[in-house]
Structures are given as structure tokens and as C-alpha cells.
Amino acid sequence: MSESLMRLLLDTRRARKQGLAAIAERQRARFAEIVAFARANSPYYRELYKDLPERIEDTTLLPITSKKKLMARFDDWCTDRDVTFDKVNEFVNNPDLIGERFLDKYTINTTSGTTGTRGIFLLDDRSLAVAGAIAFRAMSSWLGAWDVVRIIAGGARMAMVNAMGGHFASAVAATRLRQKRGKAVQVFPVNMPLLEMVEELNRFRPVIITPYASMGVLLASEQEAGRLHINPVLMVLSAEGLPAREYDRIAKAFHTKVRHSYAATECPFLSYVCEHGWLHVNSDWVVLEPVDADYRPTPQGEWSHTVLVSNLANRVQPILRYDLGDSVLLRPDPCPCGNPLPAIRVQGRTADMLTFPTDYGKPITVPPLVFGTLVDRVPGIDLIQIVQTTPASLRVRLRPAAATDPNRVWQAVHNEITRLLIEYKLDNVTVERAEEPPEQSPGGKFRKIIPLS
């Protein structure tokens, strides 16, 4: 364990023990430091902050940023002059480089998101070290001594169920974990047929399993039906939110602890859940601001229109007052778990499952991320939205990228979706091309997958 990581581990533990005042002091100091660094080293932020005071501790003094604004000024946004969009784009377009370090010093994660703009995000080693320390904080709150004993006795076997084939955060993490831990980590692509996945999980017998939340729902149904029979010590769900009853159902099906977090590629260490279902924001390293549609602070106990995030660790691409687009509620009173970190609920991310009828009576459910990661592999897409218009039909709203052949892009999308449906034995589902473009939701997002109402 490196000295810097050990120092961060001690600091995160000390901050929580010392309470709100110590956490707030760390936040103020780190915010002022990252703003000063961004101003000194990023041409974009130097221009954006040119009329602001020399030292800034008040987040509300800063203008709002977004994925669209930052990606439009990619070269000027980055603080390392060796980082350019052309170099990064060449790197992320090479699947052989997934998990490798860019310029031998940065980790790259990509996301298409729901705002209509593709995101390319670089993480420096400091940010990764903070993420590691925060992950240890979360695991320490989730696991007891007996849980740790069971994990060690089970060979610490971990099963990851997530998107592969791109520079997604989960794919990069999975690639590196496999390189580091070998056969103790197995990755199950989210688009693997469910029956095959169940068979492989039964053989592997993981003690820790980390699926996307929507996949967790499907695996719980398989466990309840007796086809899946694994006994994990901990299940950590990611990527999507679920109703509280679904978390309870999954926990009951596996007789295990089910935990999750609310995070983003822009800030992977944003929060983690407690035993009471509240997400605790790691505010010693994050500033999270629930705001209304005019970016004014939302009162505690009320749902926000969106939320602004400032990542206090990452220096190569500073994320400051960044509009994340999710609606959150900040708890107005202390959480009963005793954790002094701010507690929130999030309703901006939900798992939209697509359920289709079959000729033999039993419906088939497909997780939304299976479609999302599938079409991410098709070049020439600026924006896409898959709408279930009837129980057995999908309508694809497509906005091709500039200087592409729309018909060729559509044919590639149609082929990929059709192939997926065949794999799931859903030959009865029709796929049609929409004349209308993708539509925004009231919250301003472009939902990739819209199930039948």
C-alpha cells in the first residue's frame, strides 16, 4: 500500500470521527485549492474565472459548467498541455487499450450519458487514490468481522456483471481487477444470455457480486426460481436506482447484504448507502449542491431540479459546479445510522426494464443497459432513443452524427438490435425507424430507453 493511500485512508477515517466541522473545513480548503489550481493551469477556467476574487471558498461564486460546455473546450479544459482531444480520441477508439494508462499517467473513462453529449473523462493518480480510500470507507461500514472472514474463506471470489467492449468506467475497472487478481475475478458481460450467465455464476460461486442494479433484479428472480443458487456475502449494485422494495427483495432472495452507491464517471466516489437506505455524500472530497431550475439552492427536505457537483480530487480535468442532471433530496435531520456525512435520496436514475411477450407464455425481461451498451458500439451515432410502443415493438429515434450516412448508421443499429433480440429468443419483436428525433424528458435528459407505459 502506497504512503499516499495510507495517508488518505487515515484522513477519511479521522474526518468522519471528528464530525461535521472537520469535514466542512476539509471541504473549504480543498475547494479553494482545486479552484486555484484550475485557474492557474486550465485556459478554460482561467478565462471563466477572470473576474472572480483571488481566493474562492464559496461555491456559489462560480459559474455553472456541464458536459457539453467542457467537451466543447476539451483541450483548454485539461490542465496538462500534453493532453489533447485528438490524442485521447485515438486512444478511446482502440478497444485493445481498455484499462491501459493514457500517456502512462492517466485513466480514461467514457460515457454517452443521457444529456446527448459523449463524455471523455481523465482521472489522475490522486483521484484514483481518493476513490480507493473512499471505497475502503464504504466497505468498512458495510461489512462486519464475520463478513470479512466469510469472504476470505470463499477465496474473495468476485463476479462483476457490467458493460464490456468500451472504455466505460466499469469495463476499465473490471479489466484492471482481472489483471491484478486473476481467476479470483470473473466478468460477465451484461449482454450475456441470462441462462448462460446463471450457469457460469453457479460454477464460479462468488462471495462478492457487483451487477448493474437492473441485472441484480433479474438475478434475484433466477435465485427465487431455484435456477441460480449462489450464496454471496455482499452484493453491490451500481449504475441505476431501484425502488426500496426491490433492494429488499434482492437481499431476501440471496440472504445477503445488498448495498449501492450514487456516483458518476465525473465523480466516482460521490456517495455510498447506509443500512437505513440513505446515501451519504463524501463531502470531505465532494461538494454537492441541490438546486432549482434557476440554480438557486433547494431547501433541505425538498426535491431539487438538478444537482451541481464539484470533484475536489481530480486535477487533470477539474469538475467544478458541474450540472449532473439528477434530482436529489437532502435529508434535513441527522441520519439514524450515526454517519455525520450529508444524507440524500436520488430519483434521477431509475432502471427501466423492457419486458416482452413470448409465444410460449412466459415474458422475457431485458435490462436497459443491454441495449445501451450495444448501440454504443455503433459508430456515427450522435443520439439514440429506443421506445417500446407496444408489448412487441420498438421504435428507434436516431440522430446520426454530422458527415455520416444516416441510412448506413440506421442499418447498423437495426442489425445490432435485431441480433440482440434473436439472442434473447425475441424474434417476434419488431424494430422500426422513427421519423421524429430523440426527445428530452422534462428534466432535460435524453433517456436512451423508454419502456411501454
Side-chain angles (χ1 to χ4, degrees), residues 38-205:
R39 205 177 203 172
N41 295 279
S42 163
Y44 170 78
Y45 281 114
R46 189 179 307 125
E47 176 187 325
L48 194 64
Y49 298 164
K50 64 180 189 289
D51 297 324
L52 298 181
E54 182 177 349
R55 180 176 174 86
I56 300 173
E57 294 184 358
D58 181 359
T59 60
T60 62
L61 295 177
L62 301 187
I64 311 300
T65 61
S66 65
K67 185 195 298 183
K68 185 175 182 179
K69 290 178 182 177
L70 295 178
M71 289 301 300
R73 297 284 302 276
F74 190 92
D75 291 4
D76 290 337
W77 166 32
C78 297
T79 60
D80 185 336
R81 298 294 87 211
D82 289 334
V83 176
T84 66
F85 179 80
D86 289 341
K87 290 180 185 177
V88 171
N89 199 46
E90 182 180 359
F91 185 95
V92 300
N93 285 331
N94 186 346
D96 294 333
L97 297 177
I98 295 171
E100 299 296 320
R101 287 162 64 86
F102 175 67
L103 300 180
D104 290 326
K105 54 183 174 179
Y106 300 121
T107 296
I108 293 184
N109 293 154
T110 63
T111 175
S112 55
T114 53
T115 58
T117 302
R118 183 192 189 192
I120 303 178
F121 298 96
L122 279 68
L123 302 174
D124 53 29
D125 286 343
R126 180 171 182 252
S127 189
L128 290 177
V130 170
I134 295 299
F136 186 84
R137 170 191 275 173
M139 294 295 282
S140 299
S141 74
W142 292 344
L143 298 174
W146 179 238
D147 297 322
V148 175
V149 170
R150 289 179 59 204
I151 289 172
I152 295 173
R157 291 186 301 275
M158 176 185 291
M160 304 179 72
V161 184
N162 51 252
M164 297 298 289
H167 291 260
F168 313 112
S170 57
V172 171
T175 300
R176 290 185 174 178
L177 273 173
R178 282 191 300 183
Q179 292 171 348
K180 185 176 181 180
R181 298 190 54 210
K183 294 181 179 179
V185 174
Q186 284 198 18
V187 180
F188 300 84
V190 70
N191 59 347
M192 175 185 284
L194 187 58
L195 290 178
E196 181 182 342
M197 186 183 298
V198 167
E199 291 175 359
E200 293 297 322
L201 284 169
N202 284 335
R203 276 194 284 268
F204 185 55
R205 294 179 296 111

Side-chain angles (χ1 to χ4, degrees), residues 80-354:
D80 185 336
R81 298 294 87 211
D82 289 334
V83 176
T84 66
F85 179 80
D86 289 341
K87 290 180 185 177
V88 171
N89 199 46
E90 182 180 359
F91 185 95
V92 300
N93 285 331
N94 186 346
D96 294 333
L97 297 177
I98 295 171
E100 299 296 320
R101 287 162 64 86
F102 175 67
L103 300 180
D104 290 326
K105 54 183 174 179
Y106 300 121
T107 296
I108 293 184
N109 293 154
T110 63
T111 175
S112 55
T114 53
T115 58
T117 302
R118 183 192 189 192
I120 303 178
F121 298 96
L122 279 68
L123 302 174
D124 53 29
D125 286 343
R126 180 171 182 252
S127 189
L128 290 177
V130 170
I134 295 299
F136 186 84
R137 170 191 275 173
M139 294 295 282
S140 299
S141 74
W142 292 344
L143 298 174
W146 179 238
D147 297 322
V148 175
V149 170
R150 289 179 59 204
I151 289 172
I152 295 173
R157 291 186 301 275
M158 176 185 291
M160 304 179 72
V161 184
N162 51 252
M164 297 298 289
H167 291 260
F168 313 112
S170 57
V172 171
T175 300
R176 290 185 174 178
L177 273 173
R178 282 191 300 183
Q179 292 171 348
K180 185 176 181 180
R181 298 190 54 210
K183 294 181 179 179
V185 174
Q186 284 198 18
V187 180
F188 300 84
V190 70
N191 59 347
M192 175 185 284
L194 187 58
L195 290 178
E196 181 182 342
M197 186 183 298
V198 167
E199 291 175 359
E200 293 297 322
L201 284 169
N202 284 335
R203 276 194 284 268
F204 185 55
R205 294 179 296 111
V207 288
I208 298 175
I209 181 168
T210 63
Y212 290 148
S214 52
M215 286 304 305
V217 170
L218 295 184
L219 292 176
S221 296
E222 293 299 302
Q223 184 89 354
E224 289 169 337
R227 290 181 289 271
L228 180 63
H229 39 84
I230 58 177
N231 187 31
V233 178
L234 177 68
M235 179 178 285
V236 183
L237 305 176
S238 64
E240 308 142 317
L242 295 173
R245 65 180 182 277
E246 284 297 286
Y247 291 116
D248 294 339
R249 184 174 76 87
I250 296 170
K252 184 178 179 181
F254 290 99
H255 302 287
T256 191
K257 291 181 177 179
V258 175
R259 298 291 185 263
H260 63 282
S261 63
Y262 165 58
T265 304
E266 298 90 330
C267 189
F269 45 82
L270 210 163
S271 72
Y272 63 97
V273 76
C274 72
E275 63 268 29
H276 293 275
W278 286 89
L279 291 152
H280 289 272
V281 179
N282 295 297
S283 56
D284 43 346
W285 285 104
V286 179
V287 180
L288 184 132
E289 303 173 72
V291 293
D292 64 17
D294 297 316
Y295 296 113
R296 295 172 301 195
T298 303
Q300 295 182 5
E302 295 184 13
W303 287 102
S304 69
H305 173 75
T306 186
V307 65
L308 307 178
V309 171
S310 296
N311 179 330
L312 307 184
N314 195 7
R315 292 185 173 186
V316 63
Q317 281 184 327
I319 301 289
L320 298 168
R321 294 208 90 200
Y322 179 96
D323 188 343
L324 204 53
D326 295 321
S327 177
V328 306
L329 178 149
L330 180 62
R331 185 181 178 114
D333 57 340
C335 183
C337 76
N339 190 333
L341 294 168
I344 62 170
R345 300 264 198 220
V346 182
Q347 68 175 9
R349 299 179 178 185
T350 56
D352 290 326
M353 314 287 280
L354 294 175

Side-chain angles (χ1 to χ4, degrees), residues 372-387:
T373 56
L374 187 78
V375 297
D376 274 343
R377 297 201 297 266
V378 178
I381 297 175
D382 189 20
L383 202 61
I384 191 168
Q385 195 169 60
I386 301 173
V387 184

